[in-house]
Amino acid sequence: MTMKITVDLDGCTGCACCMMESPNVFDIDDETGQVIVLVENPGEELREEVERGIRSCPENVIVLETA
Ligand code: SF4
């Protein structure tokens, strides 16, 4: 099972909730003030953290695809 994270940056306010909940996966870009995905294809060991980060996003702009 592979995972892929994508973010709709048009809706990202840079609130950093995802980074607080999932610091190994999300960061905030100092220049744009928006999220950066550090690990676009996380392994299973990061699943819980990724899902926590996704749930924390007030704008619901983080999408996790699994295949
Ligand atoms: S929680 Fe959502 S809106 Fe906030 S920085 Fe992360 S992706 Fe952007």
Side-chain angles (χ1 to χ4, degrees):
M1 182 93 71
T2 56
M3 295 188 278
K4 181 167 183 264
I5 300 172
T6 53
V7 179
D8 176 8
L9 285 176
D10 287 346
C12 174
T13 61
C15 69
C17 296
C18 55
M19 182 186 78
M20 306 282 265
E21 290 293 330
S22 183
N24 293 303
V25 181
F26 302 105
D27 200 355
I28 298 295
D29 188 314
D30 286 340
E31 289 185 7
T32 65
Q34 289 188 302
V35 70
I36 306 173
V37 180
L38 300 174
V39 191
E40 285 188 6
N41 299 104
E44 278 299 320
E45 73 283 359
L46 283 172
R47 178 183 284 273
E48 271 187 38
E49 186 180 324
V50 168
E51 290 179 346
R52 232 180 10 252
I54 290 172
R55 279 197 304 273
S56 79
C57 177
E59 308 301 329
N60 288 319
V61 291
I62 310 172
V63 176
L64 180 64
E65 293 171 53
T66 53

